[in-house]
Amino acid sequence: MTQHDQQVTTADPAPRRPVRQLLAASVGNAVEWYDWYAYTFLATYIADQVFPKGSGNSLVPLLSTFAVFAVGFFMRPVGGLLMGAVADRRGRRAALTVTILLMGGSSLLVGLTPTYASAGVLAPVVLVLARLLQGLSVGGEFAASTTFLVESAGPGRRGLFSSFQYVSTTAGQLAASGVAALLVATLSEGQMDGWGWRLPFVVGALLSLVGFWIRQGAHETHRAPAGEAERPGLFDALRHHPRQSLLICGITAGGTLAYYTWTSYLPTYAELNTGISKSQALLAGTLSLAFFALLQPVGGLLSDRFGRRPPLLFFGVGFAVLSVPLLSLLNGSFASLLLVQCAGMVLLTGFTSISAAVNAEVFPARVRAAGIGFPYSLTVAVFGGTAPYVGTLFKEIGSPGLFPWYVAVLCVVSSAVYLRLPETAHKELER
């Protein structure tokens, strides 16, 4: 790094209030993911109200397909690039402020979306717009909060701070699931269809204001360049650090596929292939997610002690060898699903607990947020976002047993990357 770069990226080496820093990143991140997952858990109610039933208009089903399945995930790389650039050019706190307000606004927009009966085709158009903004926000949140968390850590604590990325993500997912389940249990079907499904999104918008307030008191970890000419361009990370960008893709590919398979798709996979009831599958998923959240700080602390490569290889080789045997253990019982999910969560922690630290340690501070945000979110969209569809496709063509092999092969690819990854745990982070 040049002397000039050192000057423009200097920030205080240690946060003044580490607990406040953790709260600023974690609470905001949990709110972001609460809003994101609330849409998923309430999708059936949204579809009934926002999209027409039995309509001959081909435009509306097309909008529905893109809104629910594609737009959100594939806007995330755009958000990672744009909000990452804001974080590099204006500071991490500025980007974190934008992402949480963006998520709050888009969540409120979902909650206020008109029904198809009252507004016609405008209703799904509004929903698509809201989902676009949510995808933009989530992609930008990862880029900004990852860099902010790791840069906030004191000496020898980057892995621990990194682990709170997935602690907060899982907390948001569990909160969304809990709120949705509570509403379904307490409201009638007519109330849920009429107004109940809107409540979680209004709550999410209000929670975003709480996250915004907490983030206002956070300490900036990156002093942005003063002059416009000195600030990094939108594509500087890709242009000047192509190897690091590809490295992020290789690090992430196996991890994101395993993550979305084990945390989101596995209950559905078990329903499709073993006949387990939906209620038992959801209960096993909820319990395993809570277990997963508790494991994250342990994984982060271990990586601070023993380095990043050992836990990454524990994850990659573990899934490469055990994906097929673990999924073959599913026999339709609650116990087998819970055992398989928890075993996978232990392996998965080797990746999730330190992915933020590993990614941040790959790029120089000047382009760190944008450098992480775009390749990471693109890889998540390509491999993580498509995991349920690939698994269902294998089932439809009569070869469900191929899906575990797909997971295993991609984890082999990532393991090869981990083997060649330089050890960065005990090196000073460039600021």
Side-chain angles (χ1 to χ4, degrees):
M1 187 174 67
T2 65
Q3 183 179 5
H4 169 73
D5 284 343
Q6 288 175 332
Q7 292 172 346
V8 299
T9 61
T10 299
D12 292 345
R16 296 169 184 168
R17 294 165 292 178
V19 174
R20 183 69 181 246
Q21 297 292 97
L22 277 177
L23 281 175
S26 301
V27 173
N29 194 51
V31 171
E32 290 264 350
W33 285 100
Y34 165 86
D35 289 336
W36 176 265
Y37 279 113
Y39 181 94
T40 304
F41 292 125
L42 296 164
T44 55
Y45 295 99
I46 295 171
D48 286 343
Q49 296 301 308
V50 177
F51 301 108
K53 299 175 183 178
S55 172
N57 186 348
S58 61
L59 176 62
V60 176
L62 180 63
L63 284 171
S64 174
T65 300
F66 277 97
V68 177
F69 298 119
V71 169
F73 262 105
F74 283 93
M75 277 302 291
R76 287 172 63 172
V78 179
L81 183 63
L82 294 178
M83 292 299 101
V86 171
D88 290 331
R89 292 167 63 86
R90 305 290 180 180
R92 316 306 189 206
R93 195 174 66 175
L96 289 172
T97 299
V98 173
T99 57
I100 197 144
L101 291 178
L102 192 60
M103 181 57 85
S106 58
S107 181
L108 185 61
L109 189 59
V110 174
L112 299 179
T113 298
T115 63
Y116 188 84
S118 65
V121 73
L122 178 63
V125 168
V126 170
L127 189 64
V128 168
L129 175 61
R131 199 59 174 166
L132 273 168
L133 294 175
Q134 282 191 326
L136 196 70
S137 176
V138 165
E141 173 69 17
F142 184 88
S145 65
T146 290
T147 52
F148 178 82
L149 267 174
V150 176
E151 290 171 352
S152 294
R157 285 291 180 264
R158 292 199 300 265
L160 175 62
F161 272 54
S162 167
S163 70
F164 280 86
Q165 183 78 29
Y166 277 91
V167 171
S168 55
T169 296
T170 306
Q173 185 174 359
L174 287 170
S177 174
V179 169
L182 179 63
L183 287 173
V184 171
T186 56
L187 299 180
S188 67
E189 192 70 18
Q191 289 172 322
M192 280 298 300
D193 284 333
W195 53 268
W197 66 269
R198 300 178 185 273
L199 284 180
F201 300 103
V202 176
V203 170
L206 294 174
L207 289 174
S208 295
L209 295 178
V210 176
F212 170 76
W213 174 75
I214 293 174
R215 286 182 169 181
Q216 288 304 291
H219 171 60
E220 179 58 67
T221 62
H222 172 73
R223 190 171 301 151
E228 185 67 30
E230 299 172 335
R231 290 171 180 159
L234 188 62
F235 297 102
D236 273 12
L238 292 171
R239 186 182 303 116
H240 300 302
H241 305 279
R243 179 181 174 277
Q244 287 90 334
S245 298
L246 288 173
L247 197 59
I248 296 291
C249 294
I251 291 168
T252 306
T256 189
L257 175 59
Y259 174 76
Y260 279 98
T261 297
W262 249 257
T263 64
S264 300
Y265 180 57
L266 196 56
T268 303
Y269 179 86
E271 287 177 56
L272 289 174
N273 294 285
T274 70
I276 191 173
S277 69
K278 186 176 183 64
S279 60
Q280 286 190 316
L282 289 175
L283 177 59
T286 301
L287 292 174
S288 64
L289 278 173
F291 174 64
F292 177 66
L294 294 174
L295 289 175
Q296 299 312 295
V298 178
L301 283 169
L302 288 174
S303 79
D304 285 331
R305 177 74 181 274
F306 300 107
R308 312 294 186 226
R309 195 184 297 123
L312 286 173
L313 287 172
F314 171 74
F315 152 73
V317 175
F319 264 102
V321 173
L322 296 176
S323 291
V324 176
L326 280 175
L327 292 181
S328 67
L329 289 176
L330 296 173
N331 59 18
S333 70
F334 173 80
S336 71
L337 178 55
L338 184 61
L339 174 65
V340 168
Q341 281 207 275
C342 287
M345 296 305 192
V346 172
L347 294 173
L348 190 56
T349 296
F351 168 77
T352 54
S353 64
I354 60 170
S355 63
V358 173
N359 291 341
E361 290 162 354
V362 165
F363 276 96
R366 184 173 181 269
V367 293
R368 181 172 289 141
I372 294 169
F374 181 72
Y376 173 86
S377 295
L378 181 63
T379 308
V380 169
V382 171
F383 295 106
T386 60
Y389 314 115
V390 173
T392 304
L393 176 63
F394 283 137
K395 172 68 175 177
E396 289 178 352
I397 65 175
S399 302
L402 289 179
F403 183 69
W405 285 104
Y406 170 59
V407 177
V409 168
L410 208 57
C411 287
V412 168
V413 173
S414 285
S415 295
V417 175
Y418 304 151
L419 276 172
R420 298 180 60 84
L421 195 65
E423 183 54 73
T424 55
H426 303 121
K427 292 183 179 180
E428 185 175 350
L429 186 71
E430 180 184 322
R431 297 180 183 273

